[in-house]
Amino acid sequence: MAYPQLTTKPGALETAAAIRAGKLSVVEAVDAAIVRIEHLDAEVNALAVPDFERACETAKAMDREGPRKDQPLFGVPMTVKESFDVAGLQSCWGHERLTDYVPARDAELVRRLKAAGAVIVGKTNVPTDLTDWQSFNPVYGRTNNPHDHARSPGGSSGGGAAAVASGMVACEYGTDIGGSVRVPAHFCGIWGHKTTHGLVSKRGHDHPMMARRKGFVAAHESELSIAGPLARNPQDLAVLTGIGARFALRQSGKPLSQCRLLALTEMPGCPLDASVAEPTEAAIGTLARAGIAIERESDLVPDLAQQHRDYLRMLNTVMARGAPAPNGKRATATDWFDLLDAQAANQVLWERVFETFDFVLAPPAPVLAIPHRDEAVFKGALDVNGEDVSGGAGLIFSGLATFPGLPSTVLPIGSGTYQGAELPCGMQVMGPAFADLDCIAAAGEMGEILHA
């Protein structure tokens, strides 16, 4: 099953290997990335805040010093989402009134990436406040999907996905609370990983309204939200996840052929568009013919309609930081603890699912890359098989792994035709808590079968 690809440029590990072998200098790698960005970004607009001059100076210094053994990304030019603090670079989350916020320190994740040898060439575009499956705002403009410039690359990590898919950079780190890594990977035909909640630090990923206050030191790391990588292959995803992880992850090493999978393609309240359903069924069929054990239903699965309701309530409370909802009601401490109780119960139910199944397969979204629109997706409707479905209903595919805090890897599986355009399609591979590397490895094996 072929899927649309826009570049044959090497990935992160391949680039690092070439530099270590002396086939390429860090300066040459960074210069090449800058040239690609300058050539491609005029039409895509993925890069929000370039940092070319410092990247070039960093590259020169790294060539003089040479790589260390603990630098798997030595010399690899990459980007991070605009919302991560990078010392000396603007971070405004798409707000014109907040462009005066320039952090003095790198986010913890950025420090880890730099320590691993990555060269940050800039930060990528986002929707205002990171709250859309599109990536446009009044400060940086609109990012286009590199496969079809009339369509969204997804959001809120859409700028990063567009940069990776087009070949500007080999990898990116974004964030995900409502599919913000997984949906851009799905829309742009690349690999993405939603990490287990709490695995990767989000310190230094604070809203500038808060971060620019006098005396601000740090904020709590939000419930539901995670930091996760985007790349063009699973090997890069695994290394990026390991670099970000606060502790060493163990990998089972269990081959996919010995695993038992559950495929969930029907969600309450949100049908799948044929453009997603057809390649998903084709992928499941191909895996089954290759001998992979896949079941289509199980009584162990939690009540997904109730899970979605709880997820939306928690998501809205987190995003509003307890401010009054549109109905004028403010969440109380009791409301919040009730949600935490519901989440804890949901996590136990998913643990029981994974006592029987190794992984759960599901679509990342009900549709493929949507045409640009001026309103946020979640304020309008999605066109699903010619009928309008609430944009919020589509979040049930994101919340599947987000509410219980579980890892989920998106791999490209093929393509579909949506509203007259042939577009990439992905699938998410969800696993038990902290089985991040197992999810990525399983997705990698699936990719080998599907893309043979």
Side-chain angles (χ1 to χ4, degrees):
M1 297 175 64
Y3 66 95
Q5 299 179 71
L6 299 173
T7 182
T8 57
K9 296 298 180 184
L13 290 177
E14 190 177 351
T15 299
I19 292 171
R20 284 183 181 273
K23 299 176 182 178
L24 184 71
S25 70
V26 181
V27 167
E28 289 170 333
V30 170
D31 283 347
I34 292 171
V35 169
R36 291 195 299 272
I37 292 168
E38 290 176 336
H39 173 67
L40 297 168
D41 210 32
E43 294 184 331
V44 175
N45 192 35
L47 209 68
V49 188
D51 198 19
F52 296 162
E53 185 174 341
R54 288 198 303 181
C56 290
E57 290 303 314
T58 298
K60 292 175 184 176
M62 293 176 73
D63 275 331
R64 289 193 296 269
E65 295 168 4
R68 300 193 309 267
K69 290 182 179 180
D70 62 346
Q71 292 183 302
L73 296 182
F74 182 81
V76 175
M78 68 174 290
T79 50
V80 295
K81 193 172 183 176
E82 194 271 353
S83 47
F84 282 107
D85 284 354
V86 176
L89 296 186
Q90 172 179 291
S91 181
C92 70
W93 294 39
H95 287 280
E96 290 178 298
R97 71 182 188 280
L98 300 178
T99 54
D100 62 343
Y101 175 60
V102 179
R105 291 172 55 85
D106 290 338
E108 182 178 330
L109 175 61
V110 173
R111 292 198 297 273
R112 284 173 172 265
L113 292 168
K114 288 181 176 180
V119 181
I120 308 299
V121 297
K123 303 204 293 179
T124 52
N125 203 17
V126 296
T128 304
D129 284 333
L130 322 183
T131 56
D132 196 5
W133 279 358
Q134 302 180 91
S135 294
F136 74 94
N137 60 72
V139 179
Y140 307 120
R142 185 186 298 277
T143 299
N144 299 320
N145 190 309
H147 293 273
D148 183 336
H149 295 166
R151 294 175 183 265
S152 169
S156 60
S157 306
V164 173
S166 62
M168 296 182 202
V169 291
C171 57
E172 153 93 5
Y173 240 103
T175 62
D176 187 318
I177 193 172
S180 291
V181 164
R182 289 163 290 164
V183 171
H186 168 61
F187 279 9
C188 291
I190 59 173
W191 299 70
H193 182 66
K194 177 209 168 297
T195 54
T196 299
H197 183 262
L199 176 66
V200 177
S201 173
K202 290 182 71 239
R203 182 174 295 173
H205 185 273
D206 304 305
H207 196 291
M209 275 290 288
M210 180 185 301
R212 68 176 186 166
R213 293 175 185 168
K214 185 177 180 180
F216 176 83
V217 176
H220 79 287
E221 296 192 23
S222 173
E223 196 63 46
L224 299 178
S225 181
I226 62 89
L230 292 154
R232 292 193 296 272
N233 63 68
Q235 295 81 12
D236 288 353
L237 276 191
V239 168
L240 288 160
T241 298
I243 290 168
R246 287 166 152 148
F247 52 84
L249 289 166
R250 288 186 292 181
Q251 192 168 349
S252 72
K254 186 177 182 179
L256 187 62
S257 60
Q258 297 177 16
C259 291
R260 187 178 179 188
L261 279 56
L262 174 65
L264 299 177
T265 56
E266 296 184 7
M267 300 290 168
C270 190
L272 268 186
D273 191 81
S275 63
V276 178
E278 291 172 3
T280 299
E281 291 300 327
I284 292 171
T286 300
L287 293 172
R289 287 190 295 275
I292 309 303
I294 305 177
E295 297 181 31
R296 302 306 298 264
E297 59 183 20
S298 171
D299 293 337
L300 294 169
V301 176
D303 181 339
L304 296 181
Q306 183 61 50
Q307 175 176 325
H308 186 51
R309 289 191 291 270
D310 291 336
Y311 165 60
L312 288 182
R313 281 195 288 270
M314 180 173 275
L315 177 67
N316 290 330
T317 303
V318 167
M319 298 299 284
R321 292 182 61 84
N327 63 7
K329 294 184 179 180
R330 182 185 293 273
T332 66
T334 299
D335 294 331
W336 181 247
F337 280 109
D338 286 345
L339 282 171
L340 291 176
D341 288 341
Q343 185 185 43
N346 180 261
Q347 289 169 337
V348 170
L349 294 176
W350 277 110
E351 286 174 8
R352 294 173 183 171
V353 170
F354 289 114
E355 289 173 1
T356 298
F357 298 97
D358 295 279
F359 303 103
V360 171
L361 308 180
V367 295
L368 301 182
I370 58 172
H372 292 311
R373 59 177 72 174
D374 292 330
E375 67 174 357
V377 169
F378 308 124
K379 292 182 178 179
L382 294 169
D383 177 359
V384 180
N385 298 318
E387 296 184 4
D388 285 348
V389 174
S390 164
L395 283 166
I396 192 169
F397 295 93
S398 305
L400 192 67
T402 299
F403 188 61
L406 300 176
S408 180
T409 303
V410 168
L411 73 152
I413 59 171
S415 63
T417 302
Y418 182 57
Q419 296 182 334
E422 189 76 9
L423 299 163
C425 181
M427 181 170 67
Q428 54 179 332
V429 181
M430 176 176 153
F434 301 107
D436 293 71
L437 297 181
D438 289 334
C439 287
I440 296 170
E445 286 194 63
M446 292 178 202
E448 290 177 4
I449 295 170
L450 295 176
H451 308 150

